[in-house]
């Protein structure tokens, strides 16, 4: 396969001279504009780099509560290897975790430990409500089960399903990465929860 | 007395695994086809003449174990005919954050108006976005999933039983 040679001169691109491009530029204005542009771009590039790094090493916390935990465990197995997204290991300590995957129904008795674990995580931290029970209580609409974990922790992604397939959870993680890379702050900055 | 070859036997397992192909699925790029009867996102259906099959009988809402379906029916009139029956579903909402995808709604439906499709990629940033209205359920899904061959798996004698 041969590729066409790239144009070497501006004339080949349909331009007569560089002066044509910057007709209204006085001497020194180009440098000034570049400095302004750099000033404006540098923090955003830094933020982009930071968010990129956050998506590439977002370690989840071990918080399996019910049958969804089986699917959550299977995404770290060989078939759905989540280390491809940089989530190398599930951390048992919330202080080393960035992502809390609430997998399973949360009883009212478990709500306080869940909130404590969330408070112990270091910022920035994200929460995925995995499955119907964690998102809204699911079919357990009774006195014992918390009707959705977004009552006690701010949730970034809701993944429906009972339980969701491992691919569905991975889609939630991919969408969380998209959100982080787009510069959207974590949910605790803009989503209120009941205290 | 320990057999001196037992360590070598253990390493033979390791060596055998080295030459196997990895089984990791590259999920966002490659999507494994789901089984044809996999129960995913709901769909509402229409007749060929464009009328909705749902007549608003609320049997699906009665059969739902998690009470995630809300049907509000209204009378058909000659000027506004939506379904072939007497009534139609003015509001049909499914709260997918509560749904457990059991398929009882499609069993209960006397007109095959609601079926469960194969789409499972339903994550949302907000809980409110998971309430699917009638317009969303009537439209074809935006994200479609590859489905395995029905002749292989949707038979009384599926292929994994025959060949193993």
């Amino acid at each position: 396969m041969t590729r066409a040679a790239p144009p070497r001169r501006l004339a080949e691109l349909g331009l007569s001279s560089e002066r044509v491009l910057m007709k209204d530029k006085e001497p020194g204005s180009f440098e000034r504009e570049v400095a302004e542009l750099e000033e404006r771009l540098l923090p955003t590039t830094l933020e982009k780099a930071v968010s990129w790094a956050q998506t590439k090493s977002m370690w989840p916390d071990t918080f399996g509560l019910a049958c969804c935990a089986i699917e959550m465990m299977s995404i770290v197995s060989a078939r759905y290897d989540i280390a491809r997204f940089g989530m190398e290991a599930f951390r048992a300590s919330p202080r080393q975790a960035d992502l809390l995957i609430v997998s399973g129904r949360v009883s009212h008795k478990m709500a306080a430990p869940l909130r404590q674990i969330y408070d112990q995580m270091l910022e920035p931290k994200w929460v995925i409500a995995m499955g119907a029970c964690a998102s809204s209580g699911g079919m357990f609409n009774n006195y014992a089960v918390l009707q959705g974990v977004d009552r006690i922790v701010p949730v970034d992604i809701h993944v429906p399903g009972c339980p969701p397939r491992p691919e569905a959870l991975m889609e939630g993680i991919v969408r969380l990465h998209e959100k982080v890379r787009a510069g959207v702050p974590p949910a605790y900055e803009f989503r209120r929860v009941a205290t | 007395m320990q057999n001196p070859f037992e360590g070598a036997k253990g390493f033979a397992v390791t060596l055998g695994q080295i030459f196997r192909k990895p089984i990791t699925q590259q999920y966002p790029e490659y999507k494994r086809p789901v089984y044809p009867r996999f129960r995913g996102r709901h769909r509402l259906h229409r007749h060929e003449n464009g009328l909705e099959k749902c007549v608003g009988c609320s049997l699906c809402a009665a059969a739902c174990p998690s009470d995630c379906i809300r049907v509000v029916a209204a009378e058909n009139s000659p000027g506004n005919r939506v379904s072939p029956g007497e009534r139609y579903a003015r509001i049909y909402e499914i709260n997918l954050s509560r749904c457990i995808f059991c398929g009882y709604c499609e069993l209960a439906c006397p007109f095959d108006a609601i079926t469960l499709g194969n789409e499972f990629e339903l994550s949302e940033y907000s809980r409110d976005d998971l309430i699917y209205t009638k317009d969303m359920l009537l439209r074809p899904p935006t994200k479609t999933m590859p489905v395995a061959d029905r002749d292989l798996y949707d038979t009384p004698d599926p292929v994994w039983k025959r060949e193993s």
Side-chain angles (χ1 to χ4, degrees):
Chain A
M1 193 178 120
T2 58
R3 196 177 288 172
R8 284 184 193 165
R9 286 175 300 179
L10 288 174
E12 295 178 31
L13 289 167
L15 298 170
S16 51
S17 124
E18 285 92 340
R19 186 60 61 191
V20 178
L21 287 172
M22 295 182 278
K23 225 185 279 181
D24 51 349
K25 305 275 190 230
E26 48 191 285
S29 66
F30 182 71
E31 284 79 8
R32 208 169 55 238
E33 278 194 4
V34 167
E36 279 176 14
L37 194 68
E38 272 181 353
E39 212 175 85
R40 215 165 50 233
L41 273 185
L42 193 62
T44 55
T45 356
L46 182 66
E47 278 169 14
K48 263 187 194 166
V50 166
S51 62
W52 176 83
Q54 282 169 350
T55 57
K56 295 297 173 190
S57 69
M58 193 183 278
W59 284 16
D61 188 87
T62 317
F63 202 71
L65 291 172
C67 38
C68 280
I70 305 296
E71 309 290 312
M72 185 186 76
M73 282 182 264
S74 78
I75 63 168
V76 287
S77 67
R79 188 171 288 276
Y80 308 99
D81 191 8
I82 209 169
R84 294 181 289 130
F85 301 126
M87 298 172 156
E88 291 298 332
F90 273 75
R91 290 282 105 178
S93 168
R95 296 174 210 283
Q96 298 166 354
D98 311 299
L99 172 65
L100 182 63
I101 303 179
V102 184
S103 51
R105 74 265 178 286
V106 182
S107 60
H108 280 296
K109 217 162 194 182
M110 197 65 198
L114 169 62
R115 179 71 206 194
Q116 191 184 3
I117 281 174
Y118 179 76
D119 287 340
Q120 283 174 347
M121 287 165 66
L122 301 180
E123 291 182 3
K125 51 193 175 185
W126 295 272
V127 178
I128 291 181
M130 177 189 178
C133 305
S135 295
S136 68
M139 66 180 298
F140 302 110
N141 192 359
N142 56 25
Y143 63 90
V145 172
L146 190 72
Q147 298 298 305
V149 289
D150 51 355
R151 298 195 177 201
I152 52 166
V153 290
V155 175
D156 287 274
I157 300 279
H158 293 269
V159 182
C162 188
R165 286 170 74 97
E167 287 110 322
L169 178 59
M170 280 156 74
E171 196 243 351
I173 289 167
V174 167
R175 287 194 71 175
L176 177 65
H177 287 179
E178 281 173 10
K179 178 183 174 176
V180 173
R181 235 178 285 132
V184 182
Y188 58 80
E189 289 194 5
F190 59 90
R191 193 153 285 168
R192 284 184 307 157
V193 294
T195 50
Chain B
M1 184 70 195
Q2 207 175 5
N3 188 350
F5 293 106
E6 280 193 352
K9 266 162 72 181
F11 278 118
V13 175
T14 311
L15 277 174
Q17 295 292 321
I18 285 177
F19 299 107
R20 276 180 58 185
K21 273 172 69 180
I23 58 164
T24 307
Q25 292 173 9
Q26 309 293 322
Y27 162 66
E29 294 85 25
Y30 166 76
K31 291 176 182 168
R32 187 167 59 134
V34 296
Y35 280 87
R37 280 177 281 166
F38 175 79
R39 297 190 297 266
R41 208 204 85 165
H42 307 258
R43 289 182 201 171
L44 286 176
H45 293 283
R46 290 177 188 275
H47 288 288
E48 284 82 14
N49 55 7
L51 293 179
E52 292 167 9
K53 286 187 178 178
C54 178
V55 295
C57 65
S58 307
L59 276 179
C60 45
C64 183
S66 54
D67 281 343
C68 67
I69 306 181
R70 174 169 176 249
V71 185
V72 176
E75 296 282 332
N76 275 315
S77 63
N80 178 27
R81 176 156 286 279
V82 182
S83 79
E86 277 182 22
R87 301 197 296 170
Y88 70 99
R90 183 167 65 81
I91 297 175
Y92 195 101
E93 284 177 351
I94 295 183
N95 187 353
L96 277 192
S97 70
R98 267 196 192 273
C99 177
I100 58 167
F101 302 95
C102 60
Y104 284 7
C105 45
E106 65 176 335
L107 285 181
C109 186
F111 292 100
D112 291 342
I114 182 166
T115 58
L116 268 68
N118 297 108
E119 292 75 36
F120 57 84
E121 297 180 324
L122 305 163
S123 319
E124 292 290 349
Y125 297 123
S126 161
R127 192 168 148 178
D128 307 334
D129 299 338
L130 281 169
I131 296 177
Y132 277 49
T133 57
K134 196 173 86 168
D135 298 336
M136 298 159 79
L137 293 168
L138 277 168
R139 249 181 280 140
T142 48
K143 291 182 192 169
T144 53
M145 295 304 302
V147 181
D149 192 3
R150 277 175 187 279
D151 299 334
L152 287 183
Y153 294 105
D154 207 0
T155 54
D157 185 23
V159 66
W160 51 269
K161 263 188 193 169
R162 251 179 288 142
E163 294 186 354
S164 65

